Structures are given as C-alpha cells and as structure tokens.
C-alpha cells in the first residue's frame, strides 16, 4: 500500500495491484464498491497530489491518521478501507503464525486442515 502514500509522489502507483486485495474482503467491498474503487483511487491521487498537508507523510499509519484528521477518510471511504486493511493484515498474519507455532510446539490439534 505504499503506492497510496503521497510522500513517494505515487511513484509506485498501480491501480490493478491496489484493487486486487479488495477482492479478498467481500464483506468489506461489495460488487458495486469494487466498480467504484478504481475511480475513487484516481480521484484520491489527484486530490492528495496537490495537498501540501500530505507532503510530509512517512508511512501508511501516518497516512491513515492524517486522513482521519482532515476527514479525507469520509471523502475516500473505500481507499481508507484499503489502508486500514493493510494496517491490520500484518498483525493478523503474525497472530495466526504465533497460534500455529504454539500448536506445533505443544503438539496440540488446532483443528487446522
């Protein structure tokens, strides 16, 4: 999700790669949301590219924080949802890995598989 960060002038921007993760969250992104997401990403980039308030942002967490402070999360709710999910994914992955490791170490059947 670094391509959504304006500090890199959107140099790594790839709309298809941004939309792809949304497909894994059907409860968060409806079919209509997926159709709108591409346009919202385009508008988001145009809007933030010219906004000096976002020029010094470093990191996706700071971006999410600034979006809430400036209420851009309300203007670009689907983009903000992608950012939130990108912040949650590493935590979720680490938690699942820890549980799996504990199951292996304790040789307990975790019901996986």
């Amino acid at each position: 999700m670094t391509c959504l960060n304006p500090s890199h002038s959107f140099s790594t921007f790839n709309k298809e790669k941004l939309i792809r993760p949304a497909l894994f969250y059907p409860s968060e992104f409806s079919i209509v949301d997926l159709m709108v997401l591409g346009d919202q990403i385009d508008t988001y980039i145009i809007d933030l590219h010219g906004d000096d308030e976002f020029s010094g942002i470093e990191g996706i967490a700071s971006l999410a924080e600034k979006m809430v402070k400036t209420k851009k999360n309300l203007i670009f709710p689907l983009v903000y949802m992608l950012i939130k999910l990108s912040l949650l994914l590493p935590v979720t992955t680490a938690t699942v890995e820890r549980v799996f490791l504990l199951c292996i170490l304790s040789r307990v059947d975790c019901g996986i598989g």
Side-chain angles (χ1 to χ4, degrees):
M1 288 299 158
T2 58
C3 53
L4 285 174
N5 192 335
S7 68
H8 302 291
S9 298
F10 305 104
S11 59
T12 57
F13 176 69
N14 183 322
K15 188 170 25 174
E16 289 75 31
K17 285 184 179 180
L18 284 171
I19 293 172
R20 197 174 305 140
L23 298 172
F24 296 109
Y25 297 97
S27 61
E28 302 296 335
F29 295 95
S30 69
I31 299 295
V32 174
D33 289 341
L34 292 172
M35 293 186 322
V36 172
L37 182 58
D39 291 334
Q40 197 172 108
I41 289 170
D42 290 337
T43 307
Y44 163 85
I45 288 175
I46 291 166
D47 185 60
L48 264 65
H49 196 63
D51 193 336
D52 291 338
E53 203 166 347
F54 283 81
S55 62
I57 299 289
E58 287 298 326
I60 202 81
S62 298
L63 174 62
E65 204 174 303
K66 182 65 86 171
M67 284 186 75
V68 171
K69 284 182 183 176
T70 60
K71 305 219 185 298
K72 299 271 188 192
N73 63 317
L74 303 175
I75 299 168
F76 304 107
L78 300 174
V79 173
Y80 183 69
M81 179 63 68
L82 277 176
I83 292 169
K84 282 192 334 185
L85 290 171
S86 73
L87 289 169
L88 291 174
L89 188 59
V91 173
T92 304
T93 302
T95 302
V96 170
E97 286 173 351
R98 270 191 228 113
V99 168
F100 188 68
L101 180 61
L102 287 172
C103 288
I104 290 171
L105 292 175
S106 63
R107 296 188 178 159
V108 173
D109 182 12
C110 294
I112 299 173

